[in-house]
Amino acid sequence: AEHDGTPYRPPHPAAGVWPQKESLAMTAPLPPSPPQSPQPSASLARAAWRQAGRSALILLVFATLTTLLLGGAHLLTRDTIAANQAAQRRALLAQTLPPALYDNDLLATATLLLPLQAAQLGNEGEDSHLYRATLHGKLSAWVVEATAPNGYAGKIRLLVGVRADGVVMGVRVVQHRETPGLGDYIEAGKSDWISQFVGRRYDTPAAWAVKKDGGQFDARAGATVSPRAVIGAVVRVLVFLRAEADSVGL
């Protein structure tokens, strides 16, 4: 408003009127900015590397100790395991030959066959062994590892004991996957079917078949695949021994 020349007098305090003051918000200083987080220093980086190094060292020590413990346990039990495996193998071999037929350690006479010989016994691409039985220093029999590749559910692994004159003395199935309750009767522990081989000689080939095929071997109805495979494997052993007489010492 324009000034009319009247002298200015401040209002009496009792009137409750005070002159306007400038806003405090305009005059108050601004608050300081928050401090910036410091960047990781070189010392912190070195500390992190040291911690990582300690962790890696602890893991390495743990792995080394575990390896040493496992290795020590293997060394301590190795001989026992080998002895148990050898005892089991001897027991299987003994089931294929009568005890009176030999007086030597069959396992100690194991001979690794050549790949071509192994293939003739159904062990193509696999190790195959012969075990030589002697009585009073003279050859009395052989035990041969053979495989029937045409079992109903896969390979059937066998041990076949044959006297030096070509007579079968025993056959044992040592591994198979035939149907339980159906084709597994080829096991000695399931039935006496496997005993049909004892005393037979391969002089009449037609006889070496199940009766359903015109041969002389019994077989359960509806479960002839497994016995056919076993019979074929035993025949291959007998043919092999006859053909390889010179090389295997018969």
Side-chain angles (χ1 to χ4, degrees):
E2 296 182 359
H3 194 273
D4 58 1
T6 305
Y8 170 76
R9 292 181 182 179
H12 194 276
V17 180
W18 298 94
Q20 296 293 326
K21 296 183 178 180
E22 294 183 1
S23 174
L24 294 176
M26 298 296 292
T27 59
L30 295 175
S33 300
Q36 298 293 326
S37 300
Q39 296 297 322
S41 64
S43 59
L44 291 178
R46 287 194 296 270
W49 278 107
R50 285 196 296 268
Q51 181 61 38
R54 282 194 295 268
S55 299
L57 181 60
I58 291 172
L59 289 175
L60 176 62
V61 171
F62 179 78
T64 302
L65 289 176
T66 302
T67 302
L68 290 174
L69 288 173
L70 292 175
H74 173 71
L75 290 175
L76 290 174
T77 59
R78 179 180 57 186
D79 293 342
T80 301
I81 293 173
N84 290 338
Q85 291 175 340
Q88 293 174 0
R89 196 65 176 174
R90 286 191 179 92
L92 282 173
L93 292 170
Q95 293 179 37
T96 64
L97 294 176
L101 196 59
Y102 63 99
D103 56 10
N104 65 315
D105 181 4
L106 292 178
L107 200 60
T109 68
T111 301
L112 181 64
L113 294 175
L114 297 173
L116 182 59
Q117 294 174 319
Q120 296 177 47
L121 298 169
N123 297 320
E124 186 172 1
E126 302 176 3
D127 287 347
S128 185
H129 296 85
L130 270 75
Y131 304 87
R132 188 173 185 268
T134 60
L135 183 63
H136 307 309
K138 294 182 179 180
L139 177 69
S140 58
W142 287 97
V143 179
V144 184
E145 294 177 351
T147 298
N150 54 336
Y152 182 80
K155 294 181 178 181
I156 302 174
R157 302 188 185 280
L158 309 166
L159 284 175
V160 182
V162 183
R163 204 167 60 194
D165 60 359
V167 175
V168 178
M169 302 307 296
V171 180
R172 286 295 180 270
V173 174
V174 297
Q175 185 180 18
H176 74 90
R177 294 185 297 177
E178 302 303 278
T179 306
L182 187 62
D184 63 346
Y185 70 92
I186 57 177
E187 283 186 51
K190 302 289 185 179
S191 76
D192 61 353
W193 178 86
I194 203 79
S195 64
Q196 295 181 78
F197 291 96
V198 178
R200 293 183 182 270
R201 188 195 305 268
Y202 189 63
D203 49 8
T204 308
W208 286 77
V210 297
K211 290 182 177 180
K212 183 179 179 180
D213 298 335
Q216 297 181 357
F217 286 83
D218 292 325
R220 293 182 182 177
T224 57
V225 175
S226 302
R228 283 191 184 105
V230 173
I231 293 169
V234 175
V235 168
R236 285 190 291 274
V237 169
L238 297 174
V239 171
F240 168 80
L241 291 175
R242 182 177 296 177
E244 301 287 334
D246 293 336
S247 62
V248 298
L250 283 178

